[in-house]
mmCIF file of all heavy atoms in Angstrom:
data_model
loop_
_atom_site.group_PDB
_atom_site.id
_atom_site.type_symbol
_atom_site.label_atom_id
_atom_site.label_comp_id
_atom_site.label_asym_id
_atom_site.label_seq_id
_atom_site.Cartn_x
_atom_site.Cartn_y
_atom_site.Cartn_z
ATOM 1 N N GLU A 237 -2.497 -1.063 20.393
ATOM 2 C CA GLU A 237 -3.515 -1.411 19.413
ATOM 3 C C GLU A 237 -4.630 -0.290 19.399
ATOM 4 O O GLU A 237 -4.817 0.461 20.336
ATOM 5 C CB GLU A 237 -4.134 -2.742 19.743
ATOM 6 C CG GLU A 237 -3.195 -3.920 19.706
ATOM 7 C CD GLU A 237 -2.650 -4.249 18.351
ATOM 8 O OE1 GLU A 237 -3.266 -3.837 17.369
ATOM 9 O OE2 GLU A 237 -1.589 -4.867 18.275
ATOM 10 N N VAL A 238 -5.337 -0.254 18.266
ATOM 11 C CA VAL A 238 -6.401 0.700 18.143
ATOM 12 C C VAL A 238 -7.514 0.495 19.198
ATOM 13 O O VAL A 238 -8.021 1.453 19.802
ATOM 14 C CB VAL A 238 -7.036 0.584 16.709
ATOM 15 C CG1 VAL A 238 -8.239 1.612 16.602
ATOM 16 C CG2 VAL A 238 -5.976 0.970 15.654
ATOM 17 N N THR A 239 -7.797 -0.761 19.500
ATOM 18 C CA THR A 239 -8.789 -1.045 20.527
ATOM 19 C C THR A 239 -8.323 -0.580 21.878
ATOM 20 O O THR A 239 -9.154 -0.136 22.714
ATOM 21 C CB THR A 239 -9.067 -2.533 20.574
ATOM 22 O OG1 THR A 239 -7.785 -3.239 20.695
ATOM 23 C CG2 THR A 239 -9.690 -3.043 19.294
ATOM 24 N N ASP A 240 -7.048 -0.635 22.140
ATOM 25 C CA ASP A 240 -6.488 -0.122 23.400
ATOM 26 C C ASP A 240 -6.667 1.337 23.565
ATOM 27 O O ASP A 240 -6.936 1.884 24.634
ATOM 28 C CB ASP A 240 -5.013 -0.521 23.553
ATOM 29 C CG ASP A 240 -4.761 -2.062 23.576
ATOM 30 O OD1 ASP A 240 -5.724 -2.726 24.015
ATOM 31 O OD2 ASP A 240 -3.680 -2.478 23.144
ATOM 32 N N LEU A 241 -6.488 2.079 22.450
ATOM 33 C CA LEU A 241 -6.657 3.540 22.447
ATOM 34 C C LEU A 241 -8.099 3.912 22.724
ATOM 35 O O LEU A 241 -8.385 4.955 23.402
ATOM 36 C CB LEU A 241 -6.201 4.085 21.108
ATOM 37 C CG LEU A 241 -4.678 4.179 20.855
ATOM 38 C CD1 LEU A 241 -4.370 4.681 19.456
ATOM 39 C CD2 LEU A 241 -3.990 5.028 21.894
ATOM 40 N N GLU A 242 -9.025 3.120 22.252
ATOM 41 C CA GLU A 242 -10.445 3.450 22.489
ATOM 42 C C GLU A 242 -10.820 3.374 23.961
ATOM 43 O O GLU A 242 -11.612 4.117 24.480
ATOM 44 C CB GLU A 242 -11.283 2.455 21.703
ATOM 45 C CG GLU A 242 -11.160 2.756 20.144
ATOM 46 C CD GLU A 242 -11.975 1.650 19.355
ATOM 47 O OE1 GLU A 242 -12.546 0.732 19.964
ATOM 48 O OE2 GLU A 242 -12.023 1.783 18.108
ATOM 49 N N THR A 243 -10.184 2.384 24.688
ATOM 50 C CA THR A 243 -10.429 2.244 26.111
ATOM 51 C C THR A 243 -9.607 3.177 26.956
ATOM 52 O O THR A 243 -10.042 3.558 27.992
ATOM 53 C CB THR A 243 -10.192 0.787 26.540
ATOM 54 O OG1 THR A 243 -8.923 0.408 26.243
ATOM 55 C CG2 THR A 243 -11.155 -0.142 25.779
ATOM 56 N N ASP A 244 -8.414 3.448 26.485
ATOM 57 C CA ASP A 244 -7.493 4.325 27.291
ATOM 58 C C ASP A 244 -6.745 5.238 26.382
ATOM 59 O O ASP A 244 -5.650 4.910 25.923
ATOM 60 C CB ASP A 244 -6.500 3.466 28.095
ATOM 61 C CG ASP A 244 -5.707 4.273 29.043
ATOM 62 O OD1 ASP A 244 -5.865 5.491 29.107
ATOM 63 O OD2 ASP A 244 -4.747 3.708 29.740
ATOM 64 N N PRO A 245 -7.275 6.399 26.051
ATOM 65 C CA PRO A 245 -6.619 7.320 25.035
ATOM 66 C C PRO A 245 -5.256 7.771 25.510
ATOM 67 O O PRO A 245 -4.454 8.190 24.654
ATOM 68 C CB PRO A 245 -7.595 8.560 25.002
ATOM 69 C CG PRO A 245 -8.912 7.962 25.437
ATOM 70 C CD PRO A 245 -8.582 6.894 26.466
ATOM 71 N N SER A 246 -4.955 7.737 26.827
ATOM 72 C CA SER A 246 -3.664 8.209 27.280
ATOM 73 C C SER A 246 -2.491 7.335 26.758
ATOM 74 O O SER A 246 -1.352 7.743 26.819
ATOM 75 C CB SER A 246 -3.609 8.220 28.812
ATOM 76 O OG SER A 246 -3.785 6.915 29.317
ATOM 77 N N LEU A 247 -2.805 6.161 26.238
ATOM 78 C CA LEU A 247 -1.774 5.266 25.746
ATOM 79 C C LEU A 247 -1.075 5.873 24.545
ATOM 80 O O LEU A 247 0.012 5.489 24.144
ATOM 81 C CB LEU A 247 -2.358 3.891 25.333
ATOM 82 C CG LEU A 247 -2.805 3.050 26.553
ATOM 83 C CD1 LEU A 247 -3.465 1.831 26.000
ATOM 84 C CD2 LEU A 247 -1.646 2.672 27.440
ATOM 85 N N ILE A 248 -1.737 6.922 23.868
ATOM 86 C CA ILE A 248 -1.137 7.524 22.740
ATOM 87 C C ILE A 248 0.170 8.210 23.092
ATOM 88 O O ILE A 248 1.022 8.433 22.201
ATOM 89 C CB ILE A 248 -2.154 8.501 22.013
ATOM 90 C CG1 ILE A 248 -1.704 8.840 20.615
ATOM 91 C CG2 ILE A 248 -2.301 9.768 22.902
ATOM 92 C CD1 ILE A 248 -2.638 9.690 19.900
ATOM 93 N N LEU A 249 0.315 8.541 24.334
ATOM 94 C CA LEU A 249 1.517 9.211 24.781
ATOM 95 C C LEU A 249 2.764 8.362 24.606
ATOM 96 O O LEU A 249 3.907 8.812 24.570
ATOM 97 C CB LEU A 249 1.422 9.671 26.237
ATOM 98 C CG LEU A 249 0.282 10.727 26.541
ATOM 99 C CD1 LEU A 249 0.253 11.017 28.042
ATOM 100 C CD2 LEU A 249 0.511 11.950 25.698
#
Side-chain angles (χ1 to χ4, degrees):
E237 300 291 340
V238 177
T239 54
D240 297 332
L241 287 176
E242 293 176 354
T243 57
D244 186 3
S246 64
L247 291 175
I248 196 175
L249 297 178

